[in-house]
Amino acid sequence: MTTRTLYLLCSAAPPVFEIAGVVEEAQRRGWDVCLGLTPAAADWLEDGLPGLAALTGHPVRTRYKRPGGPDVWPAADAVLVAPATTNTINRWALGITDTWLVGFVAEAIGKGIPMAVMPCVNSAYAQHPQLPLSLETLRTAGVRVLYGPGGFEPNQPGEKRPYPWSAALDTVDGFAPAGEA
């Protein structure tokens, strides 16, 4: 089996604390995992970043590289943005690319890289009128949105529930390998 490269890109939401186990599960499924974090997620995981880099075998990305700097990751075969906060989703859909993570996924739409996003928003955030518009913008752009039955369903503010990581990994597992679309 040929190893494919998964870019696992995470926002600062509570499921990000489970990311080491998610990386290990993706690796068991045959993925070479590259981990990218929003600045806030990187802050939350600061003490564990060296261990996550060792686990993936790649540096954890949190910011843009300098112009002319080397690419430190292999090319992506698929991208999973999860957990994705309201902030990340709205900035991505609106093209506000002030962070590396959002800039990468905005550009990846134009490059045709298969992508999925699974939100992690509570029911109060889910009521904001921009969120459904942003999710529809991403769907229209070809991003697989895992929101609602079979994906992430909003919880009440403060409610803790298991995050459906398996559904997210199953989705990217189903993306056709390059050249087989």
Side-chain angles (χ1 to χ4, degrees):
M1 176 170 94
T2 303
T3 301
R4 297 188 293 161
T5 300
L6 174 65
Y7 285 16
L8 178 55
L9 308 178
C10 308
S11 301
V16 79
F17 291 112
E18 304 164 357
I19 207 61
V22 177
V23 168
E24 291 170 337
E25 177 59 23
Q27 290 170 332
R28 279 191 290 277
R29 293 172 179 230
W31 290 101
D32 176 22
V33 180
C34 297
L35 181 62
L37 304 171
T38 63
D43 183 59
W44 286 15
L45 298 177
E46 181 178 11
D47 294 341
L49 294 179
L52 290 167
L55 177 63
T56 65
H58 303 285
V60 176
R61 297 260 335 247
T62 61
R63 58 180 57 135
Y64 285 106
K65 67 182 178 91
R66 291 194 171 121
D71 287 330
V72 295
W73 287 357
D77 293 299
V79 175
L80 173 59
V81 182
T85 61
T86 303
N87 185 39
T88 296
I89 293 164
N90 288 338
R91 288 177 35 248
W92 180 8
L94 294 169
I96 301 169
T97 60
D98 59 332
T99 65
W100 170 80
L101 189 149
V102 175
F104 176 82
V105 292
E107 186 177 30
I109 289 171
K111 291 181 173 181
I113 300 170
M115 289 190 288
V117 60
M118 189 159 62
C120 185
V121 299
N122 67 38
S123 58
Y125 278 121
Q127 297 304 309
H128 192 283
Q130 184 59 48
L131 184 64
L133 298 172
S134 293
L135 292 172
E136 185 56 30
T137 295
L138 295 175
R139 272 189 202 96
T140 300
V143 176
R144 183 84 52 85
V145 176
L146 305 171
Y147 185 71
F152 179 81
E153 297 187 51
N155 50 286
Q156 294 300 313
E159 178 186 1
K160 293 186 182 356
R161 257 195 276 160
Y163 190 69
W165 284 111
S166 291
L169 292 174
D170 290 348
T171 297
V172 294
D173 285 345
F175 289 152
E180 294 183 21

